[in-house]
Amino acid sequence: MSDVNESEVLPLIIGQLIAYGYSAIAQSVADATGASSDMMPSTRLSELIRIAKEKGDEEESEDNYSSKDFDQESTLEEMDVSSTATGFDMEYMQNAQPKSPPDYNQSYFTQHKGPCRTAIFSSDGRFAATGSHDSSLKLLDVSKMKNRTGDVGDKPVIRTLYDHTEQVNDLSFHPNGLVLASCSNDQSIKLFDLSKAGVKRAFRYLQDAQPVNSICFHPSGDFLLAGTKDASIRIYDVKTLQCYTNAGNAESHRGSISQIRYSNSGKIFATSSLDGTVRIWDSVSSQCIKTFDAAHSGTAVSSVRFTNNEKYVLTAGLDSTVRLWDITSGNILMEYKGHDQHSQLLQPSFSYNEDFVLIGDESSTDAVCYDTYTGALLKRISGHNNLVRCIAASPTDNGFLTCSDDYRARYFNTPVEA
């Protein structure tokens, strides 16, 4: 067996110490050894030890292999939701028939002290988070939202986080599931350590000179995209905190960036803007490889997101239309009409299997559900008493969160999943 290099081991020890809550000791180890570490909490070391133990058990007794009680938690390298998830396939669009409306039911809601503006699920679907105009964030246990028991310990809100001074605009879970990033009109991006019980303040922050509208972690966790009130894209190196920007680039937007998102592989990313365009970028060169001009009849574009297979993007704009685009050809594959969006930057979402498109409606307090393949409006989902501003869908089942100006986030699911 080859020796493990010290430079490989020390960062694992430091990350594990931070995950256990010993940040000061971890910093001392880093300073004393000169180890290169991003000082992010990580359970990679304990996972490797667990894997080694299991491997040892297997070698000791092959007879016990079939009855071994394996840990259900996967390491980051083993967990690839996108590779197993079903998704949109254009081949089925031509002869598609409208599906039956999903039987969505509300099973939980949580309330902020101001309008609820944004939400997100972790990549494994175990956790969710919401962000509010009141500057707070809430971390939620999805299993407890799904399975309400009424017991004393039945509290889906794990904790409420406070560190921003203005409204929270967007959220992104680090791929390791232990860090939650948030951005705000207070011109900052905050990183929260979720492994420390009771900690409500960020352990690291990135300061900008503009309100930050949207953020997204790279699937590797090494980089963080940011879109702000100005037209320049920011790419932060999470380890060094160095910021790269395309300011002055002829391919830059001409207005505020409303949303920024990596594809599942991280090879490309997309931006939508108040200038009415949508742009697709190469993640390595940071060069624009595709532009959708006047994507929504020249009105502001509020949202952009990739399909699982990275061939298409879904956009929403102030022309009261959601559109599905083929990235290669630039053609519109489908339009979704039946909701109103003329003044608010609504955030739609695919369902986890991309069979449905969900978005709010300015003319009502409903969420609207469309059939992805036919464009048919299948259902209006009621429950709120003010505008539904954002919808975030679970990556693993039919569950989704709706964020509303009535201060509440509501969790819906289908009876089979709930």
Side-chain angles (χ1 to χ4, degrees), residues 59-109:
E59 292 175 351
E60 287 175 9
S61 177
E62 290 291 333
D63 294 337
N64 292 333
Y65 181 85
S66 61
S67 61
K68 177 178 280 290
D69 183 17
F70 288 101
D71 192 332
Q72 296 301 307
E73 292 188 2
S74 301
T75 62
L76 179 60
E77 288 78 4
E78 292 169 337
M79 184 171 57
D80 184 1
V81 175
S82 64
S83 66
T84 58
T86 56
F88 175 77
D89 188 340
M90 193 174 67
E91 293 182 5
Y92 297 113
M93 179 173 279
Q94 186 173 2
N95 299 314
Q97 297 296 318
K99 301 177 184 64
S100 300
D103 186 19
Y104 291 122
N105 295 309
Q106 179 187 314
S107 61
Y108 177 74
F109 75 85

Side-chain angles (χ1 to χ4, degrees), residues 29-211:
V29 173
D31 293 341
T33 62
S36 176
S37 172
D38 57 11
M39 299 304 290
M40 299 279 278
S42 171
T43 58
R44 179 66 174 151
L45 181 59
S46 63
E47 288 168 352
L48 290 173
I49 292 172
R50 174 182 59 78
I51 292 170
K53 285 183 176 180
E54 290 180 351
K55 182 65 175 176
D57 290 342
E58 292 171 12
E59 292 175 351
E60 287 175 9
S61 177
E62 290 291 333
D63 294 337
N64 292 333
Y65 181 85
S66 61
S67 61
K68 177 178 280 290
D69 183 17
F70 288 101
D71 192 332
Q72 296 301 307
E73 292 188 2
S74 301
T75 62
L76 179 60
E77 288 78 4
E78 292 169 337
M79 184 171 57
D80 184 1
V81 175
S82 64
S83 66
T84 58
T86 56
F88 175 77
D89 188 340
M90 193 174 67
E91 293 182 5
Y92 297 113
M93 179 173 279
Q94 186 173 2
N95 299 314
Q97 297 296 318
K99 301 177 184 64
S100 300
D103 186 19
Y104 291 122
N105 295 309
Q106 179 187 314
S107 61
Y108 177 74
F109 75 85
T110 186
Q111 184 164 329
H112 286 271
K113 295 179 181 178
C116 187
R117 298 186 58 84
T118 186
I120 193 170
F121 284 78
S122 60
S123 61
D124 58 8
R126 295 171 58 201
F127 301 101
T130 60
S132 171
H133 190 277
D134 67 10
S135 77
S136 72
L137 295 74
K138 290 192 177 188
L139 179 66
L140 302 160
D141 184 320
V142 175
S143 65
K144 289 186 177 181
M145 289 196 294
K146 291 165 66 172
N147 306 303
R148 303 309 308 280
T149 64
D151 296 338
V152 176
D154 181 23
K155 296 179 180 180
V157 176
I158 299 172
R159 80 186 73 155
T160 303
L161 306 170
Y162 305 93
D163 214 6
H164 286 292
T165 57
E166 294 191 40
Q167 71 181 35
V168 177
N169 293 323
D170 200 9
L171 304 165
S172 184
F173 277 98
H174 189 279
N176 69 9
L178 299 176
V179 173
L180 175 66
S182 60
C183 65
S184 168
N185 276 4
D186 64 11
Q187 305 181 359
S188 75
I189 299 170
K190 299 291 178 81
L191 303 181
F192 295 88
D193 183 352
L194 305 182
S195 65
K196 294 181 181 178
V199 174
K200 298 182 178 181
R201 301 288 180 181
F203 74 94
R204 182 173 293 180
Y205 73 94
L206 307 170
Q207 191 63 48
D208 205 285
Q210 297 284 340

Side-chain angles (χ1 to χ4, degrees), residues 89 268 306-313 325-328 333:
D89 188 340
I268 52 178
F306 289 95
T307 54
N308 285 333
N309 62 16
E310 308 184 17
K311 295 180 180 180
Y312 316 103
V313 288
W325 303 80
D326 183 300
I327 295 175
T328 302
L333 299 180

Side-chain angles (χ1 to χ4, degrees), residues 133-330:
H133 190 277
D134 67 10
S135 77
S136 72
L137 295 74
K138 290 192 177 188
L139 179 66
L140 302 160
D141 184 320
V142 175
S143 65
K144 289 186 177 181
M145 289 196 294
K146 291 165 66 172
N147 306 303
R148 303 309 308 280
T149 64
D151 296 338
V152 176
D154 181 23
K155 296 179 180 180
V157 176
I158 299 172
R159 80 186 73 155
T160 303
L161 306 170
Y162 305 93
D163 214 6
H164 286 292
T165 57
E166 294 191 40
Q167 71 181 35
V168 177
N169 293 323
D170 200 9
L171 304 165
S172 184
F173 277 98
H174 189 279
N176 69 9
L178 299 176
V179 173
L180 175 66
S182 60
C183 65
S184 168
N185 276 4
D186 64 11
Q187 305 181 359
S188 75
I189 299 170
K190 299 291 178 81
L191 303 181
F192 295 88
D193 183 352
L194 305 182
S195 65
K196 294 181 181 178
V199 174
K200 298 182 178 181
R201 301 288 180 181
F203 74 94
R204 182 173 293 180
Y205 73 94
L206 307 170
Q207 191 63 48
D208 205 285
Q210 297 284 340
V212 187
N213 296 328
S214 185
I215 53 174
C216 184
F217 272 113
H218 187 275
S220 69
D222 293 336
F223 302 98
L224 181 71
L225 285 173
T228 71
K229 190 175 181 180
D230 69 22
S232 301
I233 295 167
R234 277 82 155 151
I235 305 176
Y236 288 95
D237 186 312
V238 175
K239 295 181 179 179
T240 66
L241 301 187
Q242 188 170 356
C243 178
Y244 307 90
T245 179
N246 68 341
N249 190 319
E251 299 173 323
S252 298
H253 285 288
R254 300 292 181 264
S256 299
I257 295 173
S258 55
Q259 193 163 64
I260 192 164
R261 290 291 184 265
Y262 275 114
S263 64
N264 280 347
S265 70
K267 294 179 180 178
I268 52 178
F269 65 90
T271 53
S272 59
S273 172
L274 302 192
D275 67 9
T277 68
V278 173
R279 297 179 187 270
I280 311 297
W281 307 80
D282 181 274
S283 293
V284 176
S285 67
S286 295
Q287 296 299 307
C288 181
I289 58 176
K290 191 75 176 183
T291 300
F292 302 97
D293 290 313
H296 286 268
S297 307
T299 65
V301 186
S302 64
S303 178
V304 62
R305 61 191 61 242
F306 289 95
T307 54
N308 285 333
N309 62 16
E310 308 184 17
K311 295 180 180 180
Y312 316 103
V313 288
L314 186 75
T315 65
L318 300 193
D319 60 349
S320 298
T321 306
V322 176
R323 291 191 170 97
L324 183 64
W325 303 80
D326 183 300
I327 295 175
T328 302
S329 68

Side-chain angles (χ1 to χ4, degrees), residues 396-416:
T396 58
D397 64 25
N398 283 322
F400 64 91
L401 281 164
T402 53
C403 303
S404 172
D405 283 359
D406 66 5
Y407 298 12
R408 293 180 174 181
R410 297 180 184 271
Y411 177 76
F412 294 84
N413 212 322
T414 53
V416 174

